[in-house]
Structures are given as C-alpha cells and as structure tokens.
Amino acid sequence: MHNFDFNTVNEELFTFLNASPNSFFAVANIANTLIAQGYTQLSEGKPWQLEIGKGYFVTRNESSLIAFRVPALNCEIAEASKAEANYNGFQIYACHCDSPSFKLKYNWEIVAAQKYLKLNVEKYGGMIMSTWLDRPLSVAGRVIVETEKGVESRLVNIDKDLLMIPSLAIHMNRDVNEGYKWNAQNDMLPLCGSNLVQGDLKNIIAEAVGVEPKDILDTDLFLYNRMPATIYGVEKEFIASGRLDDLQCAFAGYKGFLEAEEAPNSIPVYCLYDNEEVGSGTKQGAASTFLKDTLQRINSALGKGQEQYLMALANSFMVSADNGHAVHPNNVDKSDANNRPFLNEGIVIKYSANQKYTTDAVAGALFRSLCKKAEVPVQVFHNRSDMLGGSTLGNISGNQVAVKTVDIGLPQLAMHSAYETAGVKDTAYLVEAVKVLFSTSLVEEADGKYSLK
Ligand code: ZN
C-alpha cells in the first residue's frame, strides 16, 4: 500500500471547500489552478487550435468546466503534424459543483413587523431545511453589471457573518419535536437587518464588485453556511463541511487529473457540471451538449473525422463521481443488508438494477481493475430494495456521450445538510484512483473484450 498523506490532502480539500461557496467559485478556483499550471483557457465562441503536449480548459455559464490534455499521442517527435497524431479514446471523470442552497429572488427585500429586514429567497435543490437554521450565513454568487461596452459578470462573496434564519422558540411551537413541516416561504427567510437599512445589501454588493448600485442589472446570488470545514472524532476520523456533495469528488478529480502520469494515446478529460441538484437539464448541466461539443471539437482540432470520433468513444471510459450514503450510526437499518459502505473504507461503486446508476458488470470490473492498480479499497452501495434512491449524472450524461460508465462516490453522512460528514481517508483514495484512470488507456478489442494499458 501507499503511504497516503491524508493530512495534506485534507488541508488542500478544506482550502477548496472554504473558498467555494457555490458552483461559480468552484469553477473559478479550479480555473485559476489550471492557469497557474500552464493550461490555456479556450472559448466556445472562438476557433480552437490544439497543440500536442498542452493542456486546455473551457467553461460554460462560468459554472461548468471541462479540462483536458492533448498527450504526446503516438508521435515520435513532439512537433509531429496533426495528421500523424492518432489518439485512442477519452478517459473521462465527471462530477458536479453545485449544492443545495437558497437563492435570492430578484426583489429580495421584505420588511417584517415594520422593524425587520429579511431576504426573500427560494430553494435551490433538495436541502434538509432545518440544518440552515440558527447558524451564520452569507451571500455569494455572480452579479451582472452594465459597462460602457455591454454587460459583464463579476463574482462576489460577502465574506462575513451577514445573515441568520432564527428558529421559532419552542414556547411558540410546542410540537416542533413531534415532526415539523418547514415552509420555505414562511420559515426560511434569513434575517438581514432592521427595516431602516433597506437597500444596504445592494450597496454592499455593488461596492464589493466596484460599481454603482444602479449598474447592477441582474444577479445569481445564493446563501452559504459560514462554518468552515473541520476534522472531528476521538482519533480525528471524520471531516465535516458544507458542500462535501459533491465538492469532495470535484477536488479529488482535479487533483488526480493534475498529478496523473500521461497515458500515451488517450486524452484525459475532467468534467465539472453545474445544476445536478436541479435535474441537470440546463445548457451547462450533464444533460446538455457541453461534453459532446467539447469532445467533438477536440477530435476536429486533431484533424480527425466522424469515424475516428466514434472509434474513440468505443475506446473511452467515464467515471461519474458523486458522493454516496455511508451507513448512518443512528439509522443502521436504512442501509442495504450487505451492500453498504462505511466512512474511511474506500471508494463506493454504486449499483442499481433500473440503471439510475450506470454501473454494469463491465464498467464495475474495469473500475475495480483500476483501483487494484492504484492499491485503494473499494466498497459497494445498493439501495434497500424497498427504498427509492437518488440519481446522479452518469446516466444523464450518457444520453449525449454514450461511453462505458461507472457510477462511484465517496461515502458520507447527512447528504444535503448544510454541514455534512465524511471520512478523513477517502479523498486521498480517490485521488490515487483518478491518477491511475488518467494514466491508463482502454481499448475495446471486441464488444465484451477490453484491454487496459
Ligand atoms: Zn451529488
């Protein structure tokens, strides 16, 4: 086994989690890391010219990102012409960067009892609402401002304890512990200030992005939990943070992508999608053409035609990474009898007979083979047969780009809480597995017969 440096991996993970209150920031942080490592940013609206041996990335809506490298391919010399360069297929890792939260409505100020100023918000995704109560919150996202040339997006994070959604005292809601139905419009509006400060939040945001309030045309602003990531447990076994689903997999994926040794003939692709929590059906979500468009443009830029593209898809493999449910200490019987993962016991392969998860025997076996090579533990998740599970982006993305796909994740507790728990070891395991994924080429010798080189 490796000597895993769990501490360093968790420190890096925490830096990423704390700096990524939502998808816009996750994408910006990863883009900055890629630029620092010499990657070139491509624009979907401009022509692409790719050079052998170089790394690239492209973003869509500032909230989804795809990064890839053009490896040496099978050319003997680095300056080989495009026509000589032949590639085998794509090794793809896909995950998501959005998490459930509350989004500010366009007219976000509401005065209550002529004394309080509240923010009018609506749900984004399916959060456990009660976990957002009684904890310091703030606002982050993007602001679209009017400039002399047109309109321009600017990211903003009001980096201070700004808001709170106070619980109702038990004296005024005696039945709260008997099961309470939270109402998003009545119960979940954060307290922002007194009625005397109307317009202040807009002023604060305008100042933060360096414009006059009148120049703000529109916003995508979300609440986020201010509590930073931490380690807990008598032997420091656990990590906790907001947004572990799915920033833990997003982080492990790009760290593994950056650290992987090159597979000579396959193109490593790291794919970070927005909007998984609301069904993936946006222009930048997993159901969109973003991945397909990107792969086709890579293929064309390498001077290849349609047949080469289809051959490449047959020789491609996708790891769809989204966190899974570990056995819960107070609800052990919610998990399957013997297909149930635990924290710190490795990467979870997810199965579902109705293909909510895409894993089949071939994809499962290929992934197990990679993990064996990486010397990392794997475990298994099935839902109880009498329980409906969630779905993820693997099967959705497969409608646009049909490649062999395994659905995996890291085991966690309290999924979609404002503060989730996972294991201290599992992120490092996934980093190692991703390194092996990207340093391997898959070749489909025939349907049902595959080699991993
Ligand atoms: Zn997820």
Side-chain angles (χ1 to χ4, degrees):
M1 281 284 271
H2 298 275
N3 271 331
F4 287 102
D5 187 354
F6 298 118
N7 285 342
T8 304
V9 170
N10 284 323
E11 273 169 29
E12 290 176 22
L13 170 65
F14 285 10
T15 301
F16 176 62
L17 285 164
N18 294 339
S20 305
N22 54 49
S23 51
F24 298 111
F25 283 84
V27 165
N29 290 326
I30 291 176
N32 288 337
T33 305
L34 291 167
I35 289 167
Q37 301 254 347
Y39 283 68
T40 303
Q41 181 162 13
L42 301 166
S43 166
E44 288 198 284
K46 304 254 168 69
W48 291 8
Q49 272 164 353
L50 306 182
E51 283 178 55
I52 284 166
K54 293 259 169 77
Y56 300 88
F57 72 96
V58 57
T59 63
R60 189 179 274 188
N61 190 49
E62 305 172 90
S63 62
S64 289
L65 175 147
I66 298 177
F68 60 92
R69 287 188 292 268
V70 183
L73 305 177
N74 58 1
C75 310
E76 297 289 62
I77 44 170
E79 312 83 59
S81 74
K82 285 192 289 187
E84 289 167 86
N86 218 350
Y87 75 102
N88 169 67
F90 303 101
Q91 294 288 86
I92 305 166
Y93 179 94
C95 51
H96 70 90
C97 53
D98 62 321
S99 302
S101 176
F102 292 89
K103 187 176 186 196
L104 271 63
K105 293 184 183 173
Y106 186 86
N107 295 308
W108 64 54
E109 290 188 334
I110 288 186
V111 173
Q114 299 170 335
K115 290 289 178 186
Y116 298 115
L117 189 66
K118 303 190 294 185
L119 297 186
N120 196 0
V121 296
E122 61 184 330
K123 288 168 68 181
Y124 174 87
M127 77 289 287
I128 304 172
M129 283 207 264
S130 60
T131 61
W132 285 78
L133 300 168
D134 305 323
R135 56 170 78 233
L137 308 171
S138 191
V139 166
R142 70 175 171 185
V143 176
I144 311 300
V145 300
E146 190 161 36
T147 66
E148 283 174 6
K149 289 181 186 161
V151 296
E152 185 182 303
S153 166
R154 299 198 184 158
L155 296 194
V156 62
N157 176 2
I158 307 303
D159 189 10
K160 61 180 176 190
D161 295 346
L162 183 72
L163 313 164
M164 188 93 68
I165 309 172
S167 289
L168 182 60
I170 194 161
H171 315 82
M172 296 171 175
N173 184 11
R174 293 275 181 195
D175 296 333
V176 67
N177 294 326
E178 312 305 316
Y180 181 72
K181 193 163 183 248
W182 309 100
N183 178 307
Q185 187 66 59
N186 298 335
D187 295 318
M188 303 310 296
L189 305 190
L191 177 62
C192 176
S194 82
N195 64 327
L196 303 175
V197 297
Q198 288 181 61
D200 262 20
L201 180 59
K202 195 164 188 186
N203 292 336
I204 291 170
I205 289 166
E207 195 184 340
V209 299
V211 299
E212 295 295 319
K214 67 173 175 43
D215 296 328
I216 295 179
L217 295 178
D218 215 327
T219 62
D220 287 317
L221 294 170
F222 297 85
L223 305 187
Y224 71 95
N225 178 9
R226 292 282 297 161
M227 193 183 289
T230 192
I231 296 187
Y232 72 97
V234 287
E235 292 200 326
K236 301 187 188 311
E237 297 94 333
F238 309 121
I239 59 172
S241 172
R243 308 174 297 283
L244 286 173
D245 170 20
D246 191 27
L247 293 185
Q248 194 182 7
C249 287
F251 168 80
Y254 89 75
K255 186 171 168 65
F257 173 81
L258 290 173
E259 294 177 1
E261 276 174 39
E262 220 63 82
N265 292 333
S266 75
I267 296 181
V269 181
Y270 171 79
C271 195
L272 183 66
Y273 286 118
D274 193 9
N275 301 133
E276 194 275 343
E277 300 295 357
V278 292
S280 295
T282 58
K283 66 188 180 301
Q284 62 277 359
S288 76
T289 58
F290 189 29
L291 179 60
K292 181 166 94 179
D293 294 348
T294 302
L295 299 185
Q296 288 188 341
R297 289 184 76 161
I298 295 171
N299 186 68
S300 303
L302 294 174
K304 304 301 175 191
Q306 178 72 356
E307 185 172 33
Q308 175 84 34
Y309 177 70
L310 295 175
M311 282 161 57
L313 291 191
N315 292 322
S316 294
F317 186 51
M318 180 191 273
V319 172
S320 157
D322 195 0
N323 273 3
H325 306 295
V327 173
H328 191 281
N330 296 338
N331 296 273
V332 174
D333 62 352
K334 293 281 184 190
S335 295
D336 185 62
N338 58 351
N339 296 281
R340 50 188 200 173
F342 290 91
L343 303 178
N344 291 319
E345 293 189 12
I347 302 165
V348 179
I349 304 178
K350 304 179 188 177
Y351 295 90
S352 145
N354 62 19
Q355 295 288 285
K356 284 266 190 194
Y357 306 126
T358 46
T359 314
D360 58 17
V362 167
L366 290 170
F367 187 70
R368 283 173 189 281
S369 173
L370 295 176
C371 288
K372 218 171 175 182
K373 206 166 149 193
E375 299 180 340
V376 296
V378 292
Q379 40 186 347
V380 168
F381 177 84
H382 278 263
N383 282 299
R384 279 180 62 108
S385 306
D386 54 2
M387 209 178 264
L388 263 184
S391 68
T392 180
L393 47 83
N395 62 345
I396 295 171
S397 167
N399 291 332
Q400 292 289 347
V401 179
V403 298
K404 284 171 275 298
T405 304
V406 64
D407 266 301
I408 62 136
L410 295 176
Q412 72 159 93
L413 300 171
M415 189 178 285
H416 292 193
S417 164
Y419 207 62
E420 303 171 329
T421 281
V424 286
K425 294 182 178 174
D426 297 313
T427 313
Y429 293 150
L430 184 52
V431 172
E432 254 347 273
V434 175
K435 281 158 74 171
V436 172
L437 166 74
F438 286 134
S439 59
T440 306
S441 288
L442 172 80
V443 178
E444 182 172 292
E445 312 285 358
D447 193 15
K449 193 173 177 196
Y450 314 94
S451 69
L452 285 168
K453 291 175 187 161

